[in-house]
Amino acid sequence: MAPTDESGQTAQHAPPTGTTPPSRPQAGGAAGPGARMPRWLPRAMVLALALIAAFQLGSWAFHQVTSLLINILIAFFLALAIEPAVSRMASRGMRRGLATFLVFLGLAIVTAGFVTLLGSMLAGQIIKMVEGFPDYLDSVINWVNATFRTDLRRVDIQEGLLHSDWLRKYAQNSAAGVLDVSAQVLGGLFRLLTVALFSFYFAADGPRLRRAICSVLPPARQAEVLRAWEIAVDKTGGYLYSRGLMALISGVAHYILLEALGVPYAPVLGVWVGLVSQFIPTIGTYLAGALPMLIAFTVDPWYAVWVLGFVVIYQQFENYVLQPKLTSKTVDIHPAVAFGSVIAGTALLGAVGALIAIPAVATLQAFLGAYVKRYAVTDDPRVHGHRGRGTAPGLLTRARRLWIRPAEAGEAGTADSGAPDVSGTADASRGPAVAGESPSAE
């Protein structure tokens, strides 16, 4: 029996001298101070750090080449747009590279001629405005003096403008921004050259590119890729056709207005409005309308107001009537889908997204339409927007019923109170007959 102390607890024997009692494991399974790190933990930490570094590097590289990817996307859609012309010339025996070069040469000649003609016109009008600015200023000063009873002079106004702080700060800012403008112009030219180079390669080596893509796919997938490519060519061409048609209509409409007002260079201004308003998204309308207003102002300031009003009205007509109709017919998408795709493209890629959103959505819709199973629609009037006979009554019908029912109930109560009670008499007269007795028998 184990010895106990005074409190009744079992006494603990002291270990022998020079020996250490064995240590008990800590609660909860915690490792002691001499435990070693698991072998997988350093590898896991290194792998996690490597994955984070790879993600950061990939994100940085993607942001650096975003501009290049956008240029390639623009070049791809431009190559799809000129694909029909290049294929038609190549089918007649011409080398595909030469056909692509001739198409690009024609586009470059038309663009250079238009820019040259427009630049000469704009330079002439600017010179004319600078020469006639004193006369314009005198007419404005005379109108202000006659209307508001003031005594303004052109010399005082010119002196105040030349010695104003606003003009001095504007000149300083303009001089400092010349370098930025030059850098932007050079960057734009380099971007244009990049797009043209990739477009030439995509158009000239289109068959080789398709063969390279199909070589890594099974035969069933190859047919799908070729079909998607053909749909993209058709939809992009249809989109450019609709834009060209709207540019023609817009140019003719603005030409008629400018010619009626007697504004010089009306044909060139009509072409300018048509092309810029249709092929430069978002701000194209404002750029297109600014130049005709400026030229009209040199003829008569009120003409500029007329041009502004016509531009605003025609833009509304084009947005809500002309563009949805033409886009839905040539690209075969719903006007609401076309409008939503432009908004989404602008939010994702800016002006470039607005330009390529419609052909991209049309291509995707036409490609997915071949894989969506469709069923025959039932011959129900509700499909065509007509309410059937078995449907619930309308609001007016239910209100009329609620109005008629109390009136009918009141009329029925009045009829019941004024009529004699013949039921008891009938029953009484009928009672002997039921019992088998007759009045004559009595």
Side-chain angles (χ1 to χ4, degrees):
M1 183 172 180
T4 57
D5 56 4
E6 296 179 355
S7 61
Q9 296 180 354
T10 304
Q12 300 290 338
H13 292 280
T17 305
T19 61
T20 304
S23 60
R24 296 180 179 180
Q26 297 182 4
R36 298 178 59 183
M37 180 184 299
R39 296 181 178 181
W40 57 267
L41 185 58
R43 298 179 182 178
M45 295 177 62
V46 171
L47 181 60
L49 293 177
L51 290 177
I52 294 175
F55 175 78
Q56 295 292 337
L57 181 61
S59 177
W60 172 81
F62 177 78
H63 286 293
Q64 294 296 322
V65 300
T66 300
S67 179
L68 177 61
L69 295 177
I70 293 176
N71 292 338
I72 293 176
L73 185 62
I74 298 173
F76 178 73
F77 275 94
L78 182 59
L80 293 178
I82 66 174
E83 175 70 20
V86 174
S87 298
R88 189 176 297 110
M89 297 173 66
S91 62
R92 297 181 179 179
M94 185 180 297
R95 294 182 58 186
R96 193 174 180 86
L98 180 60
T100 306
F101 174 76
L102 291 179
V103 172
F104 270 91
L105 182 62
L107 292 175
I109 290 175
V110 172
T111 304
F114 175 72
V115 171
T116 302
L117 183 61
L118 187 65
S120 61
M121 178 202 67
L122 185 61
Q125 291 299 317
I126 291 176
I127 293 174
K128 183 179 179 180
M129 288 184 60
V130 171
E131 292 177 352
F133 181 75
D135 298 333
Y136 295 140
L137 186 59
D138 288 338
S139 63
V140 172
I141 291 174
N142 293 333
W143 180 81
V144 171
N145 291 334
T147 304
F148 300 100
R149 305 296 181 180
T150 57
D151 189 15
L152 298 177
R153 294 184 303 172
R154 188 178 67 182
V155 178
D156 298 337
I157 295 176
Q158 290 177 350
E159 290 292 332
L161 289 175
L162 291 176
H163 295 86
S164 62
D165 295 336
W166 173 81
L167 183 62
R168 178 175 55 82
K169 292 180 180 179
Y170 179 78
Q172 292 177 355
N173 294 332
S174 300
V178 170
L179 184 60
D180 295 337
V181 173
S182 302
Q184 292 179 0
V185 171
L186 293 177
L189 292 176
F190 179 76
R191 185 173 183 177
L192 181 62
L193 180 62
T194 303
V195 171
L197 186 62
F198 276 104
S199 300
F200 182 84
Y201 285 149
F202 285 148
D205 293 339
R208 184 184 303 175
L209 179 61
R210 287 191 287 269
R211 286 195 301 269
I213 295 175
C214 293
S215 62
V216 296
L217 297 174
R221 299 297 181 183
Q222 293 178 15
E224 294 178 0
V225 169
L226 295 177
R227 185 174 182 274
W229 195 290
E230 192 67 24
I231 292 174
V233 171
D234 294 338
K235 297 302 179 180
T236 305
Y239 172 70
L240 291 180
Y241 168 75
S242 63
R243 285 291 175 178
L245 187 58
M246 285 191 294
L248 178 62
I249 297 174
S250 177
V252 170
H254 288 84
Y255 163 73
I256 293 174
L257 173 69
L258 297 175
E259 190 68 25
L261 295 177
V263 178
Y265 304 102
V268 181
L269 290 176
V271 175
W272 161 266
V273 173
L275 293 179
V276 174
S277 62
Q278 300 303 322
F279 291 99
I280 297 181
T282 309
I283 62 172
T285 303
Y286 308 103
L287 293 178
L291 184 59
M293 289 176 54
L294 183 63
I295 304 302
F297 184 81
T298 60
V299 179
D300 191 341
W302 285 107
Y303 287 175
V305 178
W306 280 98
V307 173
L308 175 61
F310 183 81
V311 167
V312 173
I313 295 174
Y314 181 82
Q315 185 64 30
Q316 302 305 315
F317 167 76
E318 181 183 279
N319 290 338
Y320 294 101
V321 178
L322 187 61
Q323 181 175 351
K325 297 295 183 181
L326 292 178
T327 302
S328 61
K329 291 183 180 299
T330 55
V331 193
D332 195 19
I333 61 176
H334 194 272
V337 178
F339 183 70
S341 63
V342 171
I343 295 178
T346 305
L348 292 176
L349 297 177
V352 176
L355 187 62
I356 66 176
I358 294 180
V361 172
T363 302
L364 181 61
Q365 178 181 350
F367 183 71
L368 294 179
Y371 299 96
V372 177
K373 187 177 182 180
R374 299 183 182 274
Y375 300 91
V377 181
T378 179
D379 190 10
D380 195 313
R382 289 171 292 183
V383 175
H384 306 285
H386 303 295
R387 301 285 301 272
R389 293 182 179 179
T391 56
L395 181 61
L396 295 178
T397 304
R398 285 180 288 179
R400 184 180 178 183
R401 291 178 180 177
L402 292 176
W403 177 266
I404 292 176
R405 285 176 182 175
E408 292 178 350
E411 293 177 359
T414 304
D416 293 341
S417 61
D421 190 5
V422 297
S423 59
T425 306
D427 292 340
S429 62
R430 200 180 308 166
V434 172
E437 301 176 354
S438 61
S440 59
E442 294 179 355

